[in-house]
Amino acid sequence: MSVPSQARIVVIGGGAVGCSIAYHLAQLGQRDVLVLEKSGLTHGSTWHAAGLVGQLRSKRNLTRLMQYSAQLYGRLEAETGQATEWKPVGSLRLASSPERWSELKRMATTARSFDFELHTLSPKESQEKFPLITPDGIVGAVFVPTDGSVEPSSLTMAYAKGARAGGVRIVENVLVTGFEATGRRITRVLTDQGAIACEIVVNAAGIWARDVAHMAGVKVPAGAVEHQYLITEKSEAIPKGLPTLRDPDRIFYLKPEPGALAIGGWEKGTPTFGASGVPFNFGRELLQPNQERLEQFVLPAAERLPILNELGIRTVINGPIPISPDGEPIMGLAPERDNFYVACGFTSGIAASGGAGKAMAEWIVEGEPGLDLWAFDVRRFGSHHMSARYLAERSVDSYWRYYQIHYPIEELHTARGGRRSPLYPLLQAKNAVFGSRFGWERPNWFAPAGSEAVDRPSFEGRPNWFAAVGNECRAARERAVLIDQSSFSKYEIGGPGALAALQRLAANDLDKPRGTLTYTQLCNERGGIEADLTFARLDEDRFYMVTGSAFGVRDMGWIRKHLPADGSVTVQELTSARATINLAGPRARDILQKVADGDVSNDAFPYMNARNLCIGYAPVLALRVTYVGELGYELHLPTEYAAHVYELLWAAGGAFGIVDAGYRAIDSLRLEKRYLYWGADITPDYTPYEAGLGFAVSLKKNADFIGRAALEKAHAMGPRRRLITLLVDAEIQLYGGEAIRRNGKVLGVTSSAGWGHTIGKAIAFGYVPTEESGHPDYEIEAFTRRHPARRIAGAAVDPERRKILI
């Protein structure tokens, strides 16, 4: 087929993901769709993929995406007439260590909360499922009966056949060479066979995605690494009907082949591929096998399956596969462009292709993917993640970590130290244990003198920071703490059209006096929460916006998307220009009064107000707001003054017992106050009314805003589900993702959870149907064990909010 001169939607890449997007666009009635493939369909990474399909992920929506894939593979052959070789043989995952067994038990509980079929097995039952394994060292296992495997090339051809039947044009052997743009929109795709006028571009170019994006003026941290697996010789000793097998403690996976076994692994130190760009003439090619890397997973696999010592190797496949810095796919509308979508970085692209194709098609046609996919969203990355060094370090680490134990609270150790607050050296000298958020080094907790200043996470037991964080929480409740929150994303939005534009975005009313703080959500047309943030009105037409460290790209992208095009609104990012020191606790005002110019009494500086102060030599924008539920001040100041102000506050607070605190304490304190976290407790899937945030919605304000109609309807009808707060007396570790049960029935899943050090109880938030939200008693299932839980109506600490208002 020749290259047409125009197409409404151009999809670049003819692998499983690109063809799935085209297929699903056709399913949505999109006929003017063109797929461009520089070589032949599947000729990137798809053709040499192993083809395992596992469905369960840590979050419900990600699991739903994978479940859709498996369901689609079961019917695609009948629909298109193209064989896919879908084999729903089930999957067996082994635990060869106690910590891995805790991880699998957590997985089992998560599965129950999603109403997902998963069975826990004993070592003997595991061997019954897979007779070739030796049970030595197995602690337990989980079995998913609906998992399986598919033949990647056949699957892609089925997508392509279904897409063509729906009117999609697919042209092979066409190389994209560049793009033309007007403003923020791509207008033409340039190829070696002519230009194509278009309205929308989708970059599904696999291992070439970063290079294609670069030509469009878009930065995407999508890389590639080498991945190896082997296929054994055939043997009559290999039973038919075996499930797929994973033994992550031995870093290998296994897929049954007809009379043979395909075995791959996730070894340490795999080489990157195309770090400076993948050649466009690289096609259906493989790389030289590496015996040393093979041995890292083949030798442990032979310990688990003694038959491997008797089988020869028929072939070794070593090919490049896509990967991102965190090992998850990259999807969505690129922040730099208004019509350039990305769908890349799929390390498990075959398993995800069905659901990802559906979500991307809905994103393109309807403006959103239909469900919250923040864990995959391109906006989770910023400029910090785009360097070749960062991508190389994190990609290799993410590859190896694929089968490492993933603790619920853990920090990565690679690609660290790039973004440091001005207070970093001061806090490091005080035994701060840092975590990483959006590249920033942030203090998570402070190790007592003489103790080890490193994280030792755990599943069911107490982590090594438990007592230290408890001390920080008590100091915040009883005395005062200093917290370095310089990583906050901070913006100034101004201009003659600023108020009107922000009123159109915010669910709350921002038309308040100068110096007022407003907490609000930004909602989508369904009333779902796209952002959760605070605005300070500095002047009639000037606002200061503060949001989470990792949410700046996303939140500001949402705002910019809806700003007027007439230039009446300007945006300036101040994240790196302003440090933020949080002073909180009942003695906070006493400390601030000693160092600040002017009156900081409650009458002069009330809650949810902003004031310009001087502390020592430093000009400070002080926001009286709290995320820990105590009298508190966020002090925003030019970065060069940060150490000076910190030292003054520390000296002034000595008489009041001030201490340093970190983000682990913040999380415990905010749970006790029922303060919610975007991305867990609130997402685009939930409305403010369902979350109990109706107080932040102003249906009376004299301005229309996005989502107003949906929220008016929701307010009139009442929420169909509610976020409830549960307390558990048992000394258990909760993290979010646990099942909420009552009378033997699963009602929901905890959105976030942890230990309340002030109250000495575990706390959990979670959504349940409205008709089930008023009971006094529930159960929380954690690590396959059930614990009684008691519902409380408000916050566990200071529900009347007296402490923050005085």
Side-chain angles (χ1 to χ4, degrees):
M1 182 182 291
S2 61
V3 175
S5 61
Q6 74 80 34
R8 179 173 180 268
I9 303 173
V10 177
V11 179
I12 301 170
V17 173
C19 288
S20 176
I21 293 169
Y23 166 82
H24 285 92
L25 285 169
Q27 293 287 302
L28 293 178
Q30 300 297 306
R31 300 290 176 256
D32 193 8
V33 179
L34 173 66
V35 177
L36 299 178
E37 166 53 46
K38 70 176 184 61
S39 181
L41 297 185
T42 79
H43 282 197
S45 297
T46 295
W47 73 276
H48 62 72
L52 276 73
V53 178
Q55 300 168 79
L56 184 63
R57 296 295 188 268
S58 60
K59 293 186 179 295
R60 182 192 300 269
N61 284 350
L62 307 186
T63 300
R64 285 169 59 190
L65 186 146
M66 300 295 180
Q67 284 179 297
Y68 172 82
S69 291
Q71 293 161 5
L72 176 64
Y73 303 160
R75 67 175 190 266
L76 196 58
E77 181 173 338
E79 176 189 323
T80 64
Q82 166 68 46
T84 62
E85 298 186 37
W86 166 240
K87 298 173 182 176
V89 293
S91 70
L92 180 67
R93 184 180 293 258
L94 307 178
S96 299
S97 66
E99 283 292 275
R100 181 74 68 180
W101 181 227
S102 289
E103 183 181 48
L104 294 194
K105 286 191 291 182
R106 176 168 164 78
M107 179 187 294
T109 298
T110 300
R112 292 192 183 101
S113 72
F114 297 165
D115 194 25
F116 181 90
E117 186 179 3
L118 178 148
H119 307 281
T120 55
L121 304 181
S122 67
K124 181 180 179 182
E125 291 170 325
S126 304
Q127 191 177 37
E128 290 171 356
K129 288 285 185 187
F130 205 109
L132 296 179
I133 66 172
T134 172
D136 296 347
I138 296 177
V139 182
V142 295
F143 180 72
V144 178
T146 55
D147 282 350
S149 66
V150 69
E151 205 292 303
S153 293
S154 298
L155 173 65
T156 304
M157 294 306 176
Y159 286 141
K161 189 173 181 180
R164 288 189 179 106
V168 172
R169 291 169 290 179
I170 300 176
V171 186
E172 299 175 88
N173 298 304
V174 179
L175 178 65
V176 172
T177 59
F179 300 90
E180 290 181 359
T182 300
R184 288 175 50 87
R185 298 187 66 84
I186 300 294
T187 55
R188 296 208 303 173
V189 180
L190 308 180
T191 78
D192 60 355
Q193 298 180 33
I196 305 163
C198 64
E199 296 180 21
I200 293 170
V201 178
V202 186
N203 177 3
I207 59 176
W208 295 274
R210 183 171 46 139
D211 306 307
V212 170
H214 179 74
M215 291 190 290
V218 169
K219 293 182 178 180
V220 178
V225 293
E226 294 186 20
H227 179 64
Q228 292 191 125
Y229 68 94
L230 62 85
I231 300 175
T232 70
E233 294 178 340
K234 292 188 177 184
S235 169
E236 293 183 358
I238 299 174
K240 295 181 179 179
L242 289 174
T244 62
L245 174 70
R246 296 168 177 84
D247 189 341
D249 288 305
R250 284 174 166 76
I251 68 169
F252 80 90
Y253 63 80
L254 182 151
K255 171 189 168 186
E257 297 278 342
L261 303 172
I263 301 170
W266 304 95
E267 73 279 8
K268 196 168 188 175
T270 188
T272 59
F273 180 79
S276 58
V278 179
F280 284 116
N281 60 3
F282 184 87
R284 191 181 171 91
E285 302 174 46
L286 291 176
L287 310 172
Q288 284 297 314
N290 183 294
Q291 184 68 27
E292 190 174 305
R293 286 170 43 223
L294 274 174
E295 290 178 354
Q296 289 190 49
F297 62 85
V298 173
L299 295 180
E303 294 175 356
R304 178 61 65 208
L305 290 93
I307 192 175
L308 294 180
N309 296 305
E310 305 167 14
L311 297 177
I313 297 175
R314 185 169 37 165
T315 186
V316 174
I317 295 173
N318 183 24
I321 62 171
I323 198 164
S324 73
D326 60 8
E328 299 289 5
I330 305 173
M331 298 169 59
L333 182 63
E336 299 95 331
R337 296 289 182 188
D338 293 337
N339 64 339
F340 189 90
Y341 290 83
V342 296
C344 56
F346 285 86
T347 303
S348 300
I350 305 305
S353 64
K358 181 176 185 291
M360 285 301 303
E362 292 175 353
W363 218 325
I364 294 163
V365 175
E366 300 170 8
E368 56 179 311
L371 69 169
D372 173 39
L373 293 178
W374 171 239
F376 291 173
D377 199 306
V378 63
R379 294 169 293 177
R380 73 187 188 273
F381 296 118
S383 58
H384 171 78
H385 305 95
M386 304 303 174
S387 74
R389 176 174 175 177
Y390 184 95
L391 180 58
E393 290 181 18
R394 271 290 165 90
S395 294
V396 173
D397 186 56
S398 293
Y399 177 93
W400 169 70
R401 284 175 44 78
Y402 203 77
Y403 272 2
Q404 298 305 300
I405 292 175
H406 294 280
Y407 291 93
I409 301 176
E410 64 176 350
E411 294 286 347
L412 304 184
H413 300 291
T414 56
R416 292 285 300 270
R419 301 185 80 180
R420 306 179 197 178
S421 140
L423 301 181
Y424 177 87
L426 281 170
L427 302 181
Q428 185 182 43
K430 299 173 79 171
N431 260 13
V433 182
F434 292 92
S436 179
R437 188 69 164 171
F438 213 66
W440 286 94
E441 294 296 316
R442 309 191 314 180
N444 276 339
W445 60 286
F446 290 79
S451 65
E452 190 180 32
V454 296
D455 278 354
R456 301 291 181 198
S458 178
F459 280 104
E460 300 179 68
R462 301 299 197 199
N464 70 322
W465 62 78
F466 184 83
V469 170
N471 290 333
E472 293 172 21
C473 290
R474 281 183 284 277
R477 293 276 184 249
E478 299 167 7
R479 304 186 305 278
V481 294
L482 286 177
I483 309 173
D484 181 12
Q485 294 188 295
S486 299
S487 62
F488 274 162
S489 296
K490 303 169 282 278
Y491 298 83
E492 189 170 296
I493 302 172
L499 175 61
L502 294 179
Q503 284 285 69
R504 163 125 178 92
L505 284 162
N508 211 339
D509 189 359
L510 301 185
D511 192 7
K512 296 176 181 177
R514 300 179 194 179
T516 301
L517 287 178
T518 303
Y519 169 62
T520 187
Q521 288 76 49
L522 312 185
C523 296
N524 54 40
E525 294 290 358
R526 295 181 289 112
I529 301 170
E530 292 286 343
D532 179 72
L533 35 74
T534 302
F535 287 98
R537 191 171 192 179
L538 304 181
D539 212 331
E540 289 298 310
D541 56 3
R542 195 161 59 96
F543 293 82
Y544 186 73
M545 184 190 105
V546 182
T547 188
S549 307
F551 303 146
V553 172
R554 179 194 171 91
D555 292 357
M556 188 46 64
W558 179 263
I559 291 172
R560 288 183 191 276
K561 179 180 177 181
H562 295 96
L563 289 180
D566 59 8
S568 62
V569 182
T570 60
V571 175
Q572 181 183 10
E573 181 171 3
L574 298 173
T575 300
S576 299
R578 298 287 185 270
T580 304
I581 301 172
N582 188 350
L583 170 65
R587 306 311 300 269
R589 180 181 290 116
D590 298 324
I591 297 168
L592 184 61
Q593 187 65 71
K594 290 179 67 175
V595 297
D597 294 353
D599 185 1
V600 297
S601 67
N602 191 51
D603 290 338
F605 192 1
Y607 180 61
M608 292 303 284
N609 271 254
R611 280 195 59 189
N612 288 307
L613 302 172
C614 283
I615 297 178
Y617 311 129
V620 176
L621 174 62
L623 311 182
R624 188 173 161 193
V625 66
T626 181
Y627 193 52
V628 300
E630 297 292 331
L631 170 66
Y633 307 88
E634 282 181 14
L635 306 175
H636 296 249
L637 60 152
T639 54
E640 65 269 27
Y641 291 104
H644 169 62
V645 169
Y646 174 88
E647 290 165 351
L648 290 175
L649 291 168
W650 184 260
F656 302 99
I658 197 168
V659 304
D660 293 296
Y663 275 81
R664 299 242 168 93
I666 292 175
D667 197 50
S668 174
L669 295 164
R670 69 98 184 172
L671 286 167
E672 293 180 329
K673 281 295 298 177
R674 201 189 178 278
Y675 290 158
L676 309 184
Y677 182 72
W678 192 93
D681 309 309
I682 46 179
T683 75
D685 291 343
Y686 301 112
T687 71
Y689 294 115
E690 291 172 329
L693 298 175
F695 65 88
V697 177
S698 177
L699 297 178
K700 295 181 179 180
K701 74 174 182 177
N702 187 27
D704 192 14
F705 60 90
I706 298 172
R708 179 167 190 148
L711 291 176
E712 286 176 338
K713 182 178 180 181
H715 181 258
M717 297 181 64
R720 60 188 178 90
R721 57 194 170 188
R722 293 183 186 275
L723 185 71
I724 62 173
T725 302
L726 299 174
L727 303 183
V728 182
D729 290 330
E731 293 195 1
I732 59 172
Q733 292 292 114
L734 301 179
Y735 304 99
E738 296 84 12
I740 301 173
R741 309 177 67 108
R742 194 171 191 276
N743 292 336
K745 179 183 177 183
V746 175
L747 301 178
V749 56
T750 60
S751 54
S752 61
W755 186 257
H757 287 275
T758 309
I759 62 173
K761 300 179 189 297
I763 308 171
F765 303 153
Y767 288 90
V768 299
T770 296
E771 63 272 17
E772 298 281 5
S773 64
H775 304 297
D777 59 313
Y778 297 81
E779 285 183 324
I780 287 183
E781 181 180 335
F783 300 102
T784 70
R785 293 194 298 272
R786 301 179 189 179
H787 305 274
R790 173 172 55 90
R791 182 183 64 85
I792 60 173
V797 170
D798 190 27
E800 298 86 8
R801 304 169 71 237
R802 293 172 182 164
K803 300 180 75 175
I804 65 175
L805 296 175
I806 58 172

